[in-house]
Amino acid sequence: MSGDGSWRRVSREGRRFLRGRYRSLRRLALWSLLESAHTFLGGYAVARALDDGFLAGRTGTGLGWLAVAGAGALLGALALRGVFGGLADLVEPLRDGLVRRSVRQAIGRAVADPGRAGDAGAVSRLTQQTEMARDSFAGLVLVARSFVFTALGALLGLAALDPVLLVLVLPALLLGTAGFVATLRPMARVQRAALDADEALSGRAGELAAGLRDVVACGGGASAGAPVERLIAEQERLTGRLARWTALRTLALGVAGRLPLVALLAGTPWLLGRGVSAGAVAGALTYLVQSLLPALDALMTAVGAAGTRLLVVLDRFCTPQSDSAAATTAPEVAPGVGAGPGVAVELRGVWFAYGPRAQPVIDGLDLTVGAGEHLAVVGPSGIGKSTLTALIAGLLPPGGGTVRVAGAPAQGVTGPGPDLRRTLLPQQAYVFTGTVRENLTHLCPGPVSGAEVERATAALGSDGLVDRLGGLEGAVDPARLSPGERQHLALTAAYLSPAPLLLLDEATCHLDLRTEERAERALAERPGTLVVVAHRISSAARADRVLVLDGTRAVCGTHAELPARSPLYRDLVGLWNARG
């Protein structure tokens, strides 16, 4: 687990799951009582076989007590058979519940972002992670149950042989167990942090690989590589911490698993001097060597490995999943300030990160976008441009600060039905099977006349595409459209939308320069505010103002002003001019 919040979240879900399964738990407990009897008989029969049998010269009595110990072993086997039957009543409902939750999460993400690629993380949660949770939970239940009832039988047996035996065994046993328990939560936090850092590094490397051309073109290799270096350093630090906690856990295991035996052997002369029989000492050794210490060692090993793994996996299911499959990071963005007439979008002290230990993607950002303004957002891949549009669109809650659209919280809904204050177009355009008219008017709450649609297609230059598809009543098959054609239809739908705020997250990246310019100019002339995540400087040159995210600070200004204020923007403009 990464912190107390995750621990409480999983604990709450676990208690809710177990509360409805008291019958299964009672069945497990009843069968496990037989295992306590088996443990009790194992040591007690050995003691009686020595004291009342072999040492007293009565061989038959000794063999009889050994037969009792053997019957106890058969009793333990019978108990184990019943335990496995009751275990299925706990394990299978857990697996089924996780599968249902995984499917609900995947459907929710697909509805929230229909254009994104298939979620590989959902497949992992549905198959690998549910089975991992099932197996880990089954192993923990078996081991924990065995330890509890084995310890019960062994401690009762020690007390029955001679209570003074507990004086030697219990202190060392409790000391080692307490030391082990003390390492659980800190070590789990470090393990979860190491997992987050590993996922963040993988995500960042994937982002860099996907945008390597842009990074090189922007001359941003140093700034793009700095977060990777920080993540590698973080992994190194966490690995050291994990090694130190592992050493402490090993020490606790040694104390709990070996010190009671050493204490009993070293204290044997003292025990015999106090009148404790040799058979009682042999019975105590039997309890320790054959029952108590192996059960304790198995419990600590299982909790330390399978237990941590189970908690981390369950936290994945209990935590609402963000749009990213894993927690990813980006360089810090320091405040940038803009102003304009009226207020369409306002951000104050906004902070956001994709995980509790991840580097902030947006850090202390102040921004005001005026009503009717055309703002372009530029910066290297992975710097936080898409995160910024998602915050304004209300898809992500800010970790700190406020995001307001038209004077209201970005995540608030102004009335029943969809929030009509804004429309977001992602890079993967949303086009569905249906008619051309349906694809162009699905963002409109009411009917749209054919004349309005024709004016929109003429303004965007999509009328030729509409004609090729068979007119407004022609059928649309998304699989037969190119990415550029899908974007062209989506842009036309955005033009027809009544939303006063349009957010384009690289929504023209598959269009040629001329088509992109025509579409952006038409959308800018449309009544309302336009925010464009630009992948070409030509888009920024057409905007009223430009927000530059460069990994160290955010700078906002006009296209003419920014080369003198932002080295990154100056380099981008220089490369653009050099290419003609």
Side-chain angles (χ1 to χ4, degrees), residues 1 39 100 124 143 209 217 232 236 242 297 301 307 361 367 383 414 422 445:
M1 307 301 298
T39 302
R100 286 192 294 270
S124 173
V143 171
I232 292 174
E236 182 180 0
L242 192 59
D297 186 69
T301 301
V361 182
L367 177 68
I383 207 68
T414 56
R422 68 242 152 154

Side-chain angles (χ1 to χ4, degrees), residues 431-439 472-478:
V431 179
F432 55 90
T433 301
T435 66
V436 174
R437 182 191 298 274
E438 290 168 340
N439 273 274
L472 295 181
E473 304 309 320
V476 173
D477 181 1

Side-chain angles (χ1 to χ4, degrees), residues 8-326:
R8 287 194 297 269
R9 184 164 50 244
V10 175
S11 298
R12 183 172 60 250
E13 293 284 345
R15 289 193 298 271
R16 184 183 304 166
F17 172 78
L18 293 175
R19 272 199 297 269
R21 289 164 179 82
Y22 282 141
R23 181 176 299 178
S24 300
L25 291 173
R26 284 197 301 269
R27 180 182 176 187
L28 274 178
L30 290 174
W31 281 110
S32 298
L33 283 174
L34 291 180
E35 192 167 348
S36 295
H38 153 61
T39 302
F40 178 87
L41 290 176
Y44 190 82
V46 168
R48 296 279 70 81
L50 285 174
D51 289 339
D52 300 341
F54 301 120
L55 294 179
R58 293 191 288 271
T59 304
T61 302
L63 292 175
W65 277 111
L66 291 181
V68 170
L74 294 177
L75 196 64
L78 178 63
L80 195 60
R81 179 178 179 274
V83 163
F84 274 101
L87 185 65
D89 295 336
L90 283 179
V91 172
E92 298 308 323
L94 174 72
R95 194 266 308 275
D96 295 344
L98 294 180
V99 168
R100 286 192 294 270
R101 181 168 297 195
S102 177
V103 172
R104 285 198 301 269
Q105 289 177 347
I107 292 175
R109 280 187 295 274
V111 170
D113 189 359
R116 69 177 292 171
D119 186 1
V123 177
S124 173
R125 285 186 292 276
L126 188 61
T127 56
Q128 181 181 359
Q129 294 186 29
T130 54
E131 290 303 317
M132 185 186 300
R134 173 183 179 272
D135 294 343
S136 298
F137 180 64
L140 278 176
V141 170
L142 279 176
V143 171
R145 173 211 56 81
S146 177
F147 170 74
V148 168
F149 288 94
T150 296
L152 177 64
L155 294 177
L156 288 176
L158 289 171
L161 292 176
D162 199 314
V164 76
L165 293 170
L166 295 174
V167 176
L168 287 178
V169 171
L170 271 183
L173 188 66
L174 294 177
L175 176 63
T177 303
F180 174 79
V181 170
T183 67
L184 280 178
R185 294 178 72 171
M187 191 169 180
R189 283 195 292 268
V190 176
Q191 287 177 320
R192 178 57 186 269
L195 274 177
D196 288 341
D198 182 69
E199 291 178 353
L201 181 59
S202 299
R204 182 61 181 175
E207 290 175 356
L208 284 177
L212 193 58
R213 177 180 59 82
D214 294 337
V215 172
V216 175
C218 296
S223 61
V228 176
E229 294 177 0
R230 288 199 296 270
L231 287 171
I232 292 174
E234 176 72 2
Q235 276 194 319
E236 182 180 0
R237 184 183 68 84
L238 290 171
T239 300
R241 288 183 60 191
L242 192 59
R244 289 191 290 273
W245 281 111
T246 302
L248 289 175
R249 172 175 287 181
T250 303
L251 178 62
L253 281 171
V255 171
R258 300 294 178 265
L259 195 56
L261 186 60
V262 172
L264 182 62
L265 292 176
T268 296
W270 177 77
L271 291 172
L272 295 176
R274 289 181 56 88
V276 177
S277 67
V281 174
L285 285 172
T286 301
Y287 283 131
L288 290 178
V289 174
Q290 290 189 355
S291 301
L292 189 58
L293 298 185
L296 179 63
D297 186 69
L299 175 68
M300 290 184 173
T301 301
V303 171
T308 302
R309 184 170 62 246
L310 176 64
L311 290 174
V312 170
V313 171
L314 289 181
D315 188 44
R316 291 285 199 272
F317 286 94
C318 295
T319 305
Q321 300 290 321
S322 68
D323 286 340
S324 59

